Amino acid sequence: MKASALNPWLLSVAPMMDWTDRHFRYLLRLISQWVRLYTEMVVDQSILLGNRAKLLDFNPEEHPVALQLGGSVPERLAEAARIGEAWGYDEINLNLGCPSERVQGGGFGACLMLEPERVAACMAAMRQAVGVPVTAKHRLGVDEMEDYRYVARFVERLAGVGVGVFIVHARKAYLKGLSPAENRTVPPLRYDWVYRLKEDFPHLTIVLNGGVRTLEEAEAHLERVDGVMLGRAVYEDPFVLAEADRRFFSSSRQVDRFWVARQMMGYARAQLERGLPLWAVARHMLNLFKGQPGGRLWRRLLSEGACRRGAGVEVLEAALERVMAESERRLGVQSGR
Ligand SMILES: Cc1cc2nc3c(=O)[nH]c(=O)nc-3n(C[C@H](O)[C@H](O)[C@H](O)COP(=O)(O)O)c2cc1C
């Protein structure tokens, strides 16, 4: 499948609670102009009853950005989707894959895979409420299910109410006995099932998620599916996306870590002015120099300095100077200077 900017789901970064907030998404957007971004899951009731600006505000640079919702009541989800669209989101996604006890307690997330009729009603109501795409993010099944036909029927049912995009975390979830983190590692990955979904439903957009670490791996999957979503690999090393625009979106743009760090300083300054602590931004920058000369030093200086009360951007400036010095020193050693 030829990678093309015409397919909005070609490459995306997964919704990750506590990680993919607006500050991390801003950082990612500096690295890639094209990759599709997802919010953390926001529960529909929080949007209906809570502080919308706090939950939904994002930076205009973040587009294309999708709002992920959690919920299981059609009317509430429809209303939350409508608000999300009015807020400017480019897509509304429904979480059908989170197995955490808290989420199960609310009756949504992965346990909804057991209730295709309810999910179909939810998605139909959301689709009716908004004009932007309404998409599903789900697993291959739950608990003891070992049946490809189940997930195929699930997809078919949702396609029946007009859902066209399915982001498939390529493993099932255990609703009891595993923590959310274990549920992202213990159930084996079954990429073959995701490929088969694409073969069986060629008219649907099938996005593969789970365990993809590099753009090379993403490219290989793109031979078989329409899109790839990366999660942990991007948080652990955001520069894994550095080549994304050139490789997948025919862009000649090139960025380096120092430029990104400097842009983030300007951004952090603006956030401080809004009254946020430096750490709200700096915590997402810890892995910016992952695997680079001075990368550990950078992480240590930020961890120690940026979480202090009243810390300012000078912590980042000082850390960057140290990393630049370390980088030059290593280059000097390598070239025998
Ligand atoms: C810290 C963390 C938080 C997550 N939060 C969400 C979430 O809010 N909604 C969701 O659908 N998936 C969530 N996930 C799952 C990811 O979206 C993704 O499906 C999973 O990590 C597998 O992809 P990966 O192997 O590329 O990380 C989370 C994962 C992590 C690591």
Side-chain angles (χ1 to χ4, degrees):
M1 208 158 294
K2 178 82 184 88
S4 145
L6 296 175
N7 168 5
W9 287 277
L10 191 69
L11 191 70
S12 56
V13 178
M16 291 181 283
M17 214 61 163
D18 202 37
W19 288 4
T20 50
D21 65 12
R22 54 185 294 187
H23 309 305
F24 185 58
R25 298 195 305 262
Y26 186 88
L27 168 71
L28 293 178
R29 185 57 76 221
L30 291 170
I31 299 172
S32 166
Q33 301 274 288
W34 287 96
V35 67
R36 197 167 184 83
L37 302 175
Y38 285 75
T39 65
E40 309 161 90
M41 180 185 74
V42 187
V43 177
D44 55 3
Q45 281 288 73
S46 314
I47 296 177
L48 302 186
L49 307 173
N51 180 342
R52 288 185 194 163
K54 189 161 178 236
L55 293 164
L56 297 178
D57 273 359
F58 61 91
N59 306 285
E61 294 83 354
E62 287 172 40
H63 288 294
V65 59
L67 170 65
Q68 188 187 57
L69 293 178
S72 58
V73 178
E75 300 75 36
R76 287 188 202 154
L77 280 168
E79 183 58 9
R82 198 189 55 70
I83 294 167
E85 180 183 50
W87 222 267
Y89 285 96
D90 301 297
E91 167 190 339
I92 307 293
N93 175 263
L94 183 62
N95 182 338
L96 304 166
C98 177
S100 88
E101 280 188 11
R102 193 178 61 82
V103 166
Q104 279 187 59
F108 50 94
C111 63
L112 281 176
M113 290 213 63
L114 295 167
E115 293 190 76
E117 288 309 314
R118 175 183 283 276
V119 178
C122 290
M123 307 275 314
M126 292 159 79
R127 286 199 70 237
Q128 233 174 11
V130 300
V132 293
V134 173
T135 64
K137 179 167 181 282
H138 61 94
R139 300 262 187 157
L140 294 179
V142 290
D143 294 336
E144 300 316 319
M145 271 179 205
E146 281 296 342
D147 188 0
Y148 167 78
R149 280 171 308 180
Y150 187 85
V151 68
R153 276 200 299 269
F154 185 82
V155 165
E156 194 170 29
R157 182 69 191 90
L158 301 192
V161 296
V163 180
V165 181
F166 294 81
I167 302 165
V168 192
H169 185 171
R171 50 164 63 92
K172 64 181 182 175
Y174 285 99
L175 298 176
K176 291 235 168 338
L178 291 185
S179 70
E182 288 168 333
N183 252 316
R184 294 191 283 266
T185 50
V186 174
L189 287 161
R190 304 274 332 239
Y191 293 136
D192 53 327
W193 284 24
V194 187
Y195 298 159
R196 202 165 149 196
L197 284 174
K198 180 64 203 174
E199 280 161 23
D200 289 348
F201 303 98
H203 58 293
L204 299 177
T205 297
I206 303 289
V207 178
L208 179 146
N209 166 245
V212 181
R213 303 296 310 178
T214 64
L215 295 185
E216 287 74 24
E217 288 176 26
E219 197 157 24
H221 289 303
L222 286 170
E223 297 291 327
R224 309 288 298 271
V225 290
D226 304 293
V228 173
M229 172 181 268
L230 283 82
R232 287 162 292 183
V234 172
Y235 200 79
E236 288 158 17
D237 181 3
F239 249 70
V240 79
L241 294 177
E243 292 291 315
D245 288 5
R246 284 202 294 162
R247 190 187 273 253
F248 295 106
F249 303 102
S250 323
S251 160
S252 56
R253 188 170 169 273
Q254 243 185 327
V255 290
D256 76 55
R257 291 175 174 81
F258 296 107
W259 178 81
V260 172
R262 280 195 210 93
Q263 299 300 310
M264 286 304 288
M265 282 179 208
Y267 177 76
R269 202 168 282 119
Q271 302 310 309
L272 286 167
E273 278 163 19
R274 288 179 54 218
L276 290 184
L278 181 66
W279 187 242
V281 177
R283 71 191 185 98
H284 297 303
M285 299 169 66
L286 293 174
N287 295 330
L288 186 55
F289 290 92
K290 177 86 176 261
Q292 299 299 301
R296 283 203 199 148
L297 177 68
W298 167 264
R299 200 183 156 86
R300 182 166 62 74
L301 293 172
L302 261 56
S303 312
E304 289 171 2
C307 55
R308 293 215 180 100
R309 190 191 282 263
V313 174
E314 61 283 352
V315 175
L316 304 180
E317 282 163 354
L320 189 62
E321 259 178 48
R322 296 273 302 273
V323 175
M324 286 175 86
E326 180 63 16
S327 184
E328 275 166 23
R329 193 184 66 79
R330 295 263 191 106
L331 280 173
V333 170
Q334 273 169 17
S335 66
R337 270 190 282 150

